[in-house]
């Protein structure tokens, strides 16, 4: 979705500018947009935080951080640094917003168009919004005012409703950009191209030909640096399934939109999420599994268990692993299971989509030594490999009729080709006013509706989540989610992906 936005004058205001997200994601992404010519010459970027930086000390800090991340010390970096300014203050005090208003009004043409990025704790979303509204900084009299909100949007369905009600008192829906950086990944966006630009797949993309679909996001890291936050308001379902993995599921399962315009695209995703069958809570153990990593070894290094991490409450029931089996009750996907899985301290860092096709209706080679050929798979690597692979059966050379799996392998990117980071795409889309990759409230509501009953049932369960040793693929009980079928988790893109 490339666009030359050089003519759009605006100011980017980042709340929480000294935090990890801003320093390691937002500012590097804005630097890349600067280098690619997507920022107008007069665009300024204002960092807001409690740390008492001056403009000069803030510029020096950002320069140092970007150099640490491999940015060259050249004219491009110097030009970007000159865009930066800083405003220190407390987000709970009216005087801060008055000072912010004065800064915006002094910003020439950019004062007409302002993007506010809330890179702050979710409990400050309403505080900042009310502060901006009280200072009349959300009024769109001569230009646009856009608010970018990081996930999570609420911590359950009820809190999401409350947050939406509070924001809607001051903002129109068109002003709110609920960001999900996972959807901004090129490999995730490529799902749309695979689905709708290749006629070879569409006739097979339904319940008649697909046995099941797996969506996996595995991490080798634990909760380093954010254990307290993760333990109190996180958990694998909230952190990954409710947002990221359900978004991937929606892109895989949606009907062709009438266009790639934002509302047309989001309408189809919402239909998928609203069609997900409620999880059977009476047989929850066969539909959803939760676990916690115990002490183990990851890549040859001994690591502590979740309950031994600094900041985790004693006896915590917060899950670091979750797997769910979901069904979409519509014409295309009726009774096709979708398996969603995510976990920390697993064997490998990997995100992938694995689509298993059904077996041929007749086993024509049964009398020729080929009794049960392997099923066909479509494998889509999201990270670390950005690839598309197809596994099919072929004859082994020789006189006898034996088959083996062969792989049709296509790397999505070519050597030396730069891939855009997710935040580069998303920050540019905010400038353009393109909301295609941002979540609408009914999307958020539908996603919470799917996972809320499961989380509530687990919250009432006095038993600890299943323990699994760090460095493996999660609790063995996660295999029970497949029932009596011959299905199993695909861990990798290789032919022995179940290993």
């Amino acid at each position: 979705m490339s666009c030359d936005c050089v003519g759009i004058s605006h100011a980017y205001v980042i709340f929480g500018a000294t935090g990890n997200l801003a320093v390691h994601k937002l500012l590097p992404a804005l630097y890349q947009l600067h280098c690619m010519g997507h920022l107008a010459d007069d665009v300024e970027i204002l960092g807001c935080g409690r740390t008492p930086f001056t403009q000069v000390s803030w510029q020096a800090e950002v320069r140092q951080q970007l150099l640490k991340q491999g940015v060259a010390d050249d004219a491009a970096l110097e030009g970007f640094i000159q865009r930066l300014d800083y405003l220190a203050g407390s987000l709970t005090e009216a005087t801060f917003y008055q000072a912010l208003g004065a800064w915006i009004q002094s910003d020439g043409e950019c004062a007409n168009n302002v993007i506010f990025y809330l890179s702050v704790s979710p409990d400050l979303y309403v505080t900042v919004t009310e502060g901006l509204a009280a200072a009349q900084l959300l009024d769109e009299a001569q230009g646009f005012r856009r608010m970018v909100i990081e996930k999570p949007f609420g911590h359950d369905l009820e809190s999401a409703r409350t947050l939406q009600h509070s924001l809607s008192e001051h903002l129109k829906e068109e002003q709110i950009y609920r960001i999900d950086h996972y959807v901004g990944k090129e490999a995730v966006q490529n799902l749309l191209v695979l689905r709708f630009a290749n006629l070879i797949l569409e006739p097979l993309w339904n319940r008649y030909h697909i046995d099941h679909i797996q969506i996996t996001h595995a991490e080798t890291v634990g909760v380093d640096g954010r254990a307290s936050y993760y333990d109190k308001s996180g958990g694998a379902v909230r952190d990954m399934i409710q947002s990221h993995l359900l978004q991937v599921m929606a892109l895989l399962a949606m009907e062709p939109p009438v266009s790639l315009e934002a509302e047309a695209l989001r309408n189809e995703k919402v239909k998928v999420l609203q069609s997900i069958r409620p999880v059977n809570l009476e047989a929850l153990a066969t539909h959803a599994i939760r676990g916690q990593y115990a002490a183990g070894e990851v890549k040859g290094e001994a690591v502590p268990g979740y309950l031994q991490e600094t900041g985790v409450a004693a006896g915590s029931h917060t899950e670091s692993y979750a797997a769910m089996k979901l069904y979409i009750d519509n014409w295309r996907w009726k009774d096709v299971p979708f398996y969603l899985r995510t976990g920390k301290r697993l064997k490998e860092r990997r995100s992938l989509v694995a689509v298993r096709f059904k077996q041929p209706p007749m086993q024509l080679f049964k009398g020729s030594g080929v009794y049960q050929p392997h099923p066909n798979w479509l494998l889509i690597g999201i990270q670390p490999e950005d690839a598309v692979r197809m596994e099919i059966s072929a004859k082994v050379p020789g006189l006898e009729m034996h088959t083996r799996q062969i792989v049709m392998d296509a790397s999505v990117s070519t050597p030396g080709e730069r891939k855009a980071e997710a935040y580069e795409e998303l920050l540019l889309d905010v400038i353009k006013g393109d909301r295609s990759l941002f979540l609408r409230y009914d999307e958020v509501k539908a996603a919470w509706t799917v996972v809320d009953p499961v989380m509530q049932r687990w919250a009432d369960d006095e038993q600890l989540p299943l323990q699994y040793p760090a460095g493996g693929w999660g609790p063995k009980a996660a295999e029970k989610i497949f029932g009596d079928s011959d299905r199993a988790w695909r861990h990798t893109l290789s032919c022995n992906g179940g290993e």
Side-chain angles (χ1 to χ4, degrees):
M1 297 182 182
S2 63
C3 172
D4 183 2
C5 291
V6 73
I8 302 179
S9 296
H10 67 280
Y12 240 111
V13 178
I14 302 176
F15 296 96
T18 61
N20 185 69
L21 174 64
V23 170
H24 294 285
K25 295 295 183 180
L26 304 184
L27 289 166
L30 288 168
Y31 166 75
Q32 292 297 336
L33 295 181
H34 164 83
C35 292
M36 291 184 285
H38 289 306
L39 299 182
D41 292 339
D42 58 351
V43 167
E44 292 194 55
I45 300 166
L46 179 69
C48 300
R50 290 174 294 180
T51 307
F53 284 112
T54 63
Q55 181 181 31
V56 173
S57 61
W58 173 239
Q59 290 177 339
E61 173 70 15
V62 174
R63 178 186 285 107
Q64 181 182 14
Q65 291 293 339
L66 291 177
L67 290 173
K68 285 182 180 179
Q69 297 173 47
V71 169
D73 190 0
D74 56 15
L77 175 58
E78 187 58 31
F80 177 71
I81 294 299
Q82 294 307 310
R83 295 182 182 273
L84 303 178
D85 201 351
Y86 190 84
L87 180 63
S90 171
L91 299 182
T92 61
E93 295 180 1
T95 53
F96 168 80
Y97 298 97
Q98 294 167 4
L100 176 58
W103 183 90
I104 291 173
Q105 290 304 316
S106 68
D107 202 22
E109 284 293 320
C110 292
N112 295 329
N113 302 314
V114 185
I115 296 168
F116 300 106
Y117 200 114
L118 301 194
S119 179
V120 294
S121 173
D123 59 10
L124 289 172
Y125 291 169
V126 174
T127 299
V128 174
T129 303
E130 291 178 344
L132 291 171
Q136 298 183 329
L137 297 179
L138 298 177
D139 298 338
E140 295 187 303
Q142 297 179 328
F144 62 72
R145 294 287 191 273
R146 294 169 183 162
M147 178 84 77
V148 185
I149 299 179
E150 278 281 342
K151 80 171 189 71
F153 193 87
H155 62 270
D156 57 16
L157 180 59
E158 187 58 37
S159 62
R161 284 175 175 152
T162 301
L163 176 57
Q164 175 63 17
H165 176 74
S166 298
L167 295 181
S168 62
E169 290 184 346
H170 308 289
L171 292 160
K172 296 176 291 187
E173 177 66 19
E174 296 76 30
Q175 293 177 271
I176 304 174
Y177 288 71
R178 301 175 190 85
I179 198 168
D180 184 344
H181 74 273
Y182 204 80
V183 181
K185 292 179 180 291
E186 290 204 33
V188 175
Q189 294 181 55
N190 194 41
L191 296 176
L192 287 173
V193 179
L194 287 173
R195 284 284 319 275
F196 304 125
N198 298 288
L199 189 58
I200 190 173
L201 291 178
E202 179 57 28
L204 306 177
W205 211 253
N206 54 57
R207 69 186 189 275
Y208 301 113
H209 299 98
I210 291 179
D211 179 78
H212 74 277
I213 295 178
Q214 300 178 22
I215 305 170
T216 292
H217 177 82
E219 302 178 23
T220 57
V221 298
V223 290
D224 306 335
R226 59 193 292 259
S228 179
Y229 166 76
Y230 187 90
D231 192 55
K232 292 177 182 177
S233 59
V237 172
R238 287 188 175 96
D239 194 41
M240 284 299 305
I241 291 182
Q242 184 274 335
S243 53
H244 303 330
L245 299 194
L246 282 177
Q247 280 292 306
V248 173
M249 180 178 173
L251 290 171
L252 288 166
M254 63 187 281
E255 294 300 317
V258 296
S259 72
L260 288 182
E261 293 297 321
E263 297 314 308
L265 184 64
R266 298 195 294 182
N267 286 343
E268 297 303 331
K269 288 198 296 177
V270 169
K271 290 177 186 178
V272 171
L273 296 173
Q274 291 177 340
S275 299
I276 294 176
R277 183 187 307 172
V279 174
N280 184 355
L281 298 179
E282 302 307 314
L284 187 58
T286 62
H287 289 77
I289 302 292
R290 64 172 175 162
Q292 267 183 1
Y293 60 84
E297 190 174 286
V298 178
K299 296 183 177 180
E301 180 182 350
V303 297
Y306 180 81
L307 294 177
Q308 287 75 55
E309 298 277 13
T310 302
V312 172
S316 170
H317 285 207
T318 300
E319 76 281 358
S320 63
Y321 175 100
M324 297 182 71
K325 175 172 60 178
L326 300 174
Y327 293 93
I328 301 171
D329 285 337
N330 64 17
W331 189 271
R332 184 186 291 265
W333 297 111
K334 179 71 173 177
D335 293 332
V336 175
F338 286 73
Y339 299 98
L340 281 58
R341 169 181 62 154
T342 184
K344 293 185 177 296
R345 290 292 191 211
L346 299 182
K347 187 174 183 179
E348 295 180 9
R349 171 181 173 266
R350 185 170 303 281
S351 296
L352 65 86
V353 172
V355 181
R356 176 174 153 177
F357 292 90
K358 291 184 176 181
Q359 296 282 15
M362 293 182 64
Q363 187 48 262
L364 298 178
F365 300 101
K366 187 173 182 180
S368 305
V370 183
Y371 181 69
Q372 184 67 32
H374 296 285
N376 300 143
W377 288 87
L378 173 65
L379 305 170
I380 305 168
I382 297 174
Q383 65 181 33
E385 299 102 335
D386 187 356
V388 178
R389 295 178 183 172
M390 176 75 80
E391 291 183 4
I392 62 175
S393 296
K395 182 182 178 298
V396 177
L399 297 177
E400 296 181 343
M401 182 63 75
H402 292 296
T403 65
R404 65 184 175 196
Q405 287 289 86
I406 64 170
V407 179
M408 302 169 65
D409 189 351
S411 176
V412 175
S413 58
T414 57
E417 188 176 37
R418 182 185 182 274
K419 294 192 297 182
E421 292 293 328
Y423 278 101
E424 296 172 25
E425 175 81 32
L426 295 169
L427 294 182
L428 182 59
D429 282 350
V430 179
I431 300 172
K432 292 155 45 180
D434 183 351
R435 302 168 72 230
S436 303
L437 300 180
F438 297 86
L439 309 188
R440 208 166 61 192
Y441 173 64
D442 53 354
E443 253 182 288
V444 175
K445 178 182 175 182
W448 279 124
T449 300
V450 172
V451 302
D452 233 24
V454 175
M455 294 192 305
Q456 290 176 11
R457 179 60 63 93
W458 282 344
D460 294 336
D461 189 349
E462 296 182 356
Q463 290 187 334
L464 278 172
L466 299 171
Q467 300 294 295
Y468 63 93
W473 282 110
K476 292 183 178 180
E479 297 291 340
K480 294 181 180 179
I481 207 169
F482 296 108
D484 297 328
S485 68
D486 63 344
R487 300 165 183 150
W489 290 111
R490 288 291 306 236
H491 301 316
T492 72
L493 296 176
S494 62
C495 278
N496 60 345
E499 296 298 324

